[in-house]
Each structure stands twice: as structure tokens, then as C-alpha cells.
Amino acid sequence: MRLIAAAALLSLSLPALPADAARPIRFASEAPRTGALVLPLGSAADLGTRGAMLDSATRAAVMRALTSAEFDYSANSTLALRGLGSWSQILVVGTGAGPLDAFKLQEIGGVAASETASIDGPVTLAASGLADPAQIAVGADLGSYSFDRYKSADSASPPRPGRSAPLTILTGNAGSAQSAYARSGRALVDGVHLTRDLVNEPANVIYPETFVQRTQEAFRGVGGVAIQVLDVPAMERLGMGSILSVGKGSARPPRMLIVEYRGGNSPASPIVLAGKGITFDSGGISLKPGAGMWEMKADMAGAAAVVGAVLALAKQQAPVNVVAIAALAENMPGGGATRPGDVVKAYNGKTIEIHNTDAEGRLVLADAVAYGESRYKPAAIVDLATLTGSKVTAVGDEYAGLFTRHDGLAQQLSAAGETTGELLWRLPLHPNYAKDMRSDIADIKNVVEGGQPGASFGAHFIGSFVTPATPWAHLDIAGNEMGSSTGPTVPSGAAGYGVRLLDRFVRDFRPVAAAK
Ligand code: BES
Ligand code: MN
Ligand code: ZN
């Protein structure tokens, strides 16, 4: 195990993880009138208030430019103006009409960060009158993320001269914004960035054992956290035959990684967040076609999201009890691999006939949710998985698919999705699916031949490893994990999808009534 890890590191001779690539952020009520100025405006009238630091001639010139450009103030539209007043550049960012919630404020920060990345020198962002300026800082951090540790200096994307000069957010209550950012904003950013790093890393670097190591490093020194790792003998003793069957074709052994964070009153039962952690999905013996197969390095995005969310909550020291369970395996077609037709037994004693080894996410999650339920008696279980292409066909990457029989849970998850911009769309879980998934020789089979609705069958399968009384929801995040169309706080590559959603959901959670 040590040898494998060492070999991978040697062959790539990895640089240390980069220090934060974004501009340092600070809050102030006054700033020097030089460098670049970012001016968020929802209407012409905002220029009078938010542009109060401009002298009247400069303000009039900005107004003329906005009118002449027919600037429409729509969210995330920009107009860059040069040579006005004492500023090297004035960048107007549209905010759209209506109230600016946390997500919209983050988008302003994201636009500001990306549009000023190549500016050499300080940037000031005018935020007076905006309710929660710390969210602008969060968005700037999220939008300036880049994953370039494997790029040599000469092949790296355009240099970012502005990295060391600060972004100053101008606000009347700089002190409270600074402490909100330090207390909770940075924690959320750290959680999203852990998830992005894990998903962006190639599968020769991140496999079950190294996923565990990276997570342990990220949590080092964070209070209230206990981490436990189940290796193959431990999972054999516990009877987790389902996840073990997925890992058998790979030289990299599977792991079940459990991260507990206790920040709430000790008797309160925790929320369990289970994540699909397939560090590479070749399909196994039911091998995938070659085109685009590389993207299956991101098939651990659910696991990365649940550990990222718990990191965010723990670093905030949020008053909640939450457990992340990352079900980690590599799905490969080696000589020891599971065959179509094999029967395995899951942690809860249910037997599974495996008809398609490419439907492996539900297999690793079967053990994760059954174990999470029996060990923690949780108030709710939510699993996240890049589970099916069928989900992408149904709702694309604008939404994740939400499956649950608990309306109260659906409502809370959907609300968290609305406020964080990580939107959910509810899809069906019909009782008939139980008949469709019947196996001739075992309790259940893992796919329905030629079966539609595919995303719902996957959801049904996972749900059948949780007893009906426990509030459970499944989020199919296939397509959301990479290059998603979620705007200026999501750079190319890994989106870090789900961390903001789960952070909000867990902090707002209210106990759910039992299902009808
Ligand atoms: N990891 C894939 C699903 C996936 C597809 C994620 C595209 C992200 C983008 C999953 O393990 C898989 O192979 N699903 C099969 C299920 C089928 C065999 C029932 C699929 O969707 O085709
Ligand atoms: Mn698969
Ligand atoms: Zn998969």
C-alpha cells in the first residue's frame, strides 16, 4: 500500500499543492483612489450611492459611458472603462434588479475576480449598501480557483500579475464583514476547494488510499472531527460485500472513509452524507467505450462533495452534527474483477445480482447508506452520486436530480438549492420499481435491462438499502461535477458542486416527519 503510493508520487514528481492563487482580500471603509475600481450596479440610480467615492466629473463620465453603451445592468454583464479620474480602470458589473442574496453576491465577486485577474496592482470593489459583503469575498475566492499544479511555468495559463496585490472590498461595516469572512466565508471556500482539487486530480494520483490521505491532511487541526478508515479486512469483517465487489478488478484497494463532525448538542442524531467515490470508472467487465472515458476520473465527485461540505462545516465550527461517508473504489476490469451475473451480499444482508458492472455507484452506496443508518441512527441520510447518464439526459447540468419519498426533506433540500444556486429538480421514485428490479436468483439486481427510467432505477436501488422510516434522499449529480454552466464562481474543470448546497442544508436542517 505504501509502495503503490510512493510509486505514483515518484513518477509524477508532484509539486507541493500551490499556495492560494487568489488576491488577498480585505475589507475597509476607505481606500486609496488608485488602481482598478469595480462598481456593481443594478440601475443608474445605484451610481449615486455606490459610486460616492467618485468625484462628480468622473461620475458623470461613467454615466455617459453607461448610456452610450446601452448598458442594461443585467446580472454579470460588464463594462470596462479606462482613463477616468484617478483610476486605472473602472469596471462596472451589472447586478440585475431585485434583492441580492448570498449567491448573487458571490457571483459579483466571481466576476470581479476573473475580470481583474490580469490587472497588475490593487483592486477596490465598491460594496456600500450591499447586505453581506463577506459573500462577495467568497465569490472572488471561488471564481479565482485554478488547478495548474501540473503545468510547467512556460505552459501555464496567462500569468496573473495581480495575485499579490489585494482586493479591497469597500463597506461601511468593514469589521463585521472581515469577521464573517474569517469565521465562515473562508471555511466554505476551503471546503469547495478541497472538493475541486480531489475531482481535478487524475486517477493515477487520487485513488482510494490517496483520497483518504488528502482528506486527513485537509482536516488536520480542525476541532470536533474524528476520522475513521475501513480497509479491506475491516469491510470484510463487517460484511460489505457490495463495495468490495466493485474494487476487485483494481490494483488499488477500496476504502470506506468516515468523517464525523460534532458541533451540536451531543445527543442530537447526526445527518449522514454519503458520497459515491469511484476514483475511476472504466465500467469494469461491462467496459465503457473509449471516447470521453477520461472524464470518469471525476466519478468520485459525490465523495469529494461530502468531505468538502463537512470540512466547511467543521472549519466554521457550525453547531451541527454531521457524518460524511465516502465510499471509495476503483472500477477496473482486472483478472479478479466481478463478472456480470455474480451475486454479492451487502452490509444489511441483502443479496444483489450484478447484471452490469458499470452500474457500480449504487453498489458502493448500498453499503455506505446501510452502514450509515445502522451505526448512526441519523436524522436524515442524503447521498450524492455521479450515478447515471440518464439523469443528464433528463435534466442536463442546470439541475441535480433529487429523489426522495420524504416531502419534508425534498422541500429543505430544494430550498438550500435555491439559495446557493445549486438547483435540484425532483424526479420520480415509483413503488413499481421494486418489481422491475427483482432478480431471479437474488434479492435485487443492479440494473433493469434496457431499463428506463434509468436514473430512477438507480435511486430506487440505493433507497432499498435504507429502511423506509429513515428520511433519505438521493442526489444524482452526474454532469454537475465538471465544466458545469453555473456561472462566474465556477471555473473550468471541477465545479465543487454540492458543497454550498450541503453546507446550507445542514445548517438549516429541521427534523423531518416520517414518510406516509
Ligand atoms: N459514472 C457513471 C455515470 C455517469 C455518466 C456519470 C456520465 C457522469 C457522466 C455510472 O457509473 C454509469 O456508468 N452509469 C450507467 C448505468 C447503467 C449501466 C445502468 C449509465 O448511466 O449508463
Ligand atoms: Mn459506471
Ligand atoms: Zn460510475
Side-chain angles (χ1 to χ4, degrees):
M1 155 186 146
R2 284 262 162 244
L3 275 178
I4 294 171
L9 290 170
L10 273 179
S11 61
L12 257 167
S13 81
L14 285 186
L17 277 173
D20 216 323
R23 289 175 188 273
I25 297 179
R26 54 193 203 92
F27 298 84
S29 50
E30 297 276 341
R33 288 152 197 235
T34 54
L37 174 70
V38 179
L39 205 50
L41 300 177
S43 66
D46 284 350
L47 185 57
T49 49
R50 207 150 300 138
M53 79 290 287
L54 302 173
D55 59 61
S56 55
T58 306
R59 201 174 319 140
V62 170
M63 195 61 246
R64 276 197 307 279
L66 288 167
T67 307
S68 149
E70 296 182 40
F71 190 73
D72 68 2
Y73 303 93
S74 61
N76 307 336
S77 56
T78 58
L79 182 65
L81 308 170
R82 307 258 178 176
L84 295 185
S86 56
W87 307 96
S88 64
Q89 175 171 334
I90 295 178
L91 178 73
V92 180
V93 178
T95 64
L100 297 180
D101 58 17
F103 175 62
K104 286 193 180 142
L105 291 169
Q106 288 176 11
E107 294 216 307
I108 294 169
V111 172
S114 57
E115 297 291 318
T116 62
S118 57
I119 290 177
D120 195 359
V123 176
T124 300
L125 189 151
S128 61
L130 297 178
D132 191 357
Q135 293 299 334
I136 297 176
V138 168
D141 283 336
L142 293 176
S144 48
Y145 172 90
S146 63
F147 186 78
D148 40 23
R149 67 187 304 208
Y150 300 118
K151 285 189 177 278
S152 319
D154 54 351
S155 75
S157 40
R160 300 184 180 200
R163 274 178 186 181
S164 53
L167 167 63
T168 302
I169 297 178
L170 270 188
T171 171
N173 41 16
S176 66
Q178 180 71 54
S179 65
Y181 176 57
R183 194 175 357 94
S184 60
R186 264 317 301 189
L188 184 63
V189 171
D190 289 348
V192 175
H193 286 181
L194 171 65
T195 303
R196 289 176 177 174
D197 285 345
L198 287 167
V199 173
N200 275 324
E201 287 285 10
N204 60 328
V205 173
I206 289 293
Y207 41 94
E209 293 157 293
T210 53
F211 185 110
V212 167
Q213 288 167 7
R214 280 285 178 94
T215 303
Q216 287 168 329
E217 283 159 23
F219 277 90
R220 196 153 293 148
V222 181
V225 173
I227 297 183
Q228 196 194 335
V229 185
L230 305 180
D231 60 8
V232 170
M235 290 191 282
E236 282 169 350
R237 278 195 300 278
L238 288 163
M240 296 183 170
S242 193
I243 184 173
L244 288 169
S245 77
V246 176
K248 279 174 56 192
S250 168
R252 317 288 203 192
R255 292 284 185 269
M256 194 72 84
L257 166 66
I258 301 153
V259 183
E260 291 175 20
Y261 166 65
R262 283 197 168 278
N265 298 331
S266 47
S269 41
I271 295 170
V272 165
L273 306 174
K276 169 178 173 180
I278 302 299
T279 57
F280 189 73
D281 182 14
S282 71
I285 297 298
S286 311
L287 194 65
K288 286 182 180 298
M293 196 201 275
W294 68 272
E295 292 182 19
M296 288 299 122
K297 71 170 188 171
D299 208 20
M300 30 58 73
V306 298
V307 300
V310 173
L311 182 66
L313 290 161
K315 283 198 166 183
Q316 290 168 70
Q317 295 288 292
V320 299
N321 294 329
V322 63
V323 181
I325 303 182
L328 303 164
E330 187 182 47
N331 189 22
M332 295 289 273
T338 294
R339 294 149 290 253
D342 284 3
V343 174
V344 300
K345 189 189 274 193
Y347 173 78
N348 68 350
K350 255 193 176 194
T351 56
I352 304 162
E353 185 181 10
I354 297 172
H355 275 205
N356 188 325
T357 64
D358 197 13
E360 81 299 335
R362 61 198 73 183
L363 296 174
V364 301
L365 283 169
D367 282 332
V369 297
Y371 180 73
E373 179 179 28
S374 83
R375 175 162 171 193
Y376 293 101
K377 313 280 181 278
I381 301 181
V382 178
D383 79 76
L384 272 77
T386 47
L387 205 75
T388 64
S390 155
K391 175 267 159 183
V392 186
T393 307
V395 297
D397 65 3
E398 266 76 27
Y399 297 93
L402 162 64
F403 302 81
T404 181
R405 298 193 173 89
H406 291 80
D407 293 345
L409 199 52
Q411 192 270 322
Q412 293 189 42
L413 284 163
S414 299
E418 293 288 337
T419 49
T420 58
E422 297 188 327
L423 303 174
L424 305 179
W425 197 270
R426 196 169 176 184
L427 292 167
L429 264 184
H430 199 281
N432 279 359
Y433 305 157
K435 289 186 223 118
D436 298 320
M437 301 202 85
R438 251 178 222 156
S439 156
D440 288 340
I441 65 168
D443 296 330
I444 192 169
K445 57 184 178 182
N446 75 329
V447 294
V448 179
E449 274 74 17
Q452 274 158 348
S456 288
F457 286 141
H460 171 84
F461 182 94
I462 298 167
S464 66
F465 291 84
V466 182
T467 60
T470 298
W472 158 79
H474 160 66
L475 305 184
D476 192 334
I477 63 167
N480 303 106
E481 76 281 26
M482 287 249 271
S484 165
S485 46
T486 29
T489 60
V490 183
S492 66
Y497 190 90
V499 175
R500 281 183 269 183
L501 171 84
L502 293 174
D503 168 74
R504 188 76 257 167
F505 164 72
V506 172
R507 285 191 293 124
D508 291 351
F509 181 76
R510 287 160 280 113
V512 180
K516 293 169 255 93

